[in-house]
Amino acid sequence: MLRFARACVARLSAEERERIADLVVRVHWERGREERRDKRSYPTYSPRRMRVSSRHGIYSANLVMLVVLLTGETTAATLFPAEDDPGEAWHAHTLLWRASLPEAEWADFARGGCLYVFRQARRGVLGS
């Protein structure tokens, strides 16, 4: 999955990557701020049953992975703009991602370059 996503991102211009990354960061930030309504286009489709916290963790991890693929790196302050301590928010989300993903998927996510984090002044920097 990561190789495919990297190949797709590589075809985009720098301007397109920046525009899409800004959009993905906004989606990441705004998720959960609005109540989601259950309006399904395919009412017979039923996703795999999992805990709500796992769904949120996987969704967030996928968005962060996209941001890192699109930009090459990002910061916790970018991902969590309203947090007083973005580094702490990053840490809490990392724990959520780890708890949400099965072992093999977590290993792929971590090795895929999305979790190289350097704490400087309590700001996580993520890069691929």
Side-chain angles (χ1 to χ4, degrees), residues 61-104:
N62 284 330
L63 291 176
V64 169
M65 179 184 68
L66 277 173
V67 170
V68 172
L69 288 173
L70 289 163
T71 63
E73 71 176 28
T74 191
T75 65
T78 299
L79 294 172
F80 308 103
E83 296 292 332
D84 292 333
D85 186 350
E88 186 60 37
W90 159 254
H91 178 72
H93 276 75
T94 303
L95 295 174
L96 175 63
W97 301 332
R98 175 64 185 94
S100 300
L101 295 166
E103 186 64 32

Side-chain angles (χ1 to χ4, degrees), residues 15-51:
E15 294 81 22
E16 288 175 310
R17 286 193 306 272
E18 184 176 339
R19 185 176 51 80
I20 294 169
D22 289 343
L23 174 65
V24 173
V25 166
R26 274 197 321 271
V27 168
H28 177 264
W29 165 239
E30 292 174 1
R31 83 176 201 303
R33 293 183 68 193
E34 296 179 8
E35 183 180 327
R36 306 270 185 236
R37 292 181 176 80
D38 193 13
K39 294 181 180 178
R40 297 182 184 173
S41 299
Y42 303 96
T44 58
Y45 169 75
S46 180
R48 180 178 68 168
R49 288 186 172 270
M50 63 177 61
R51 296 182 321 267

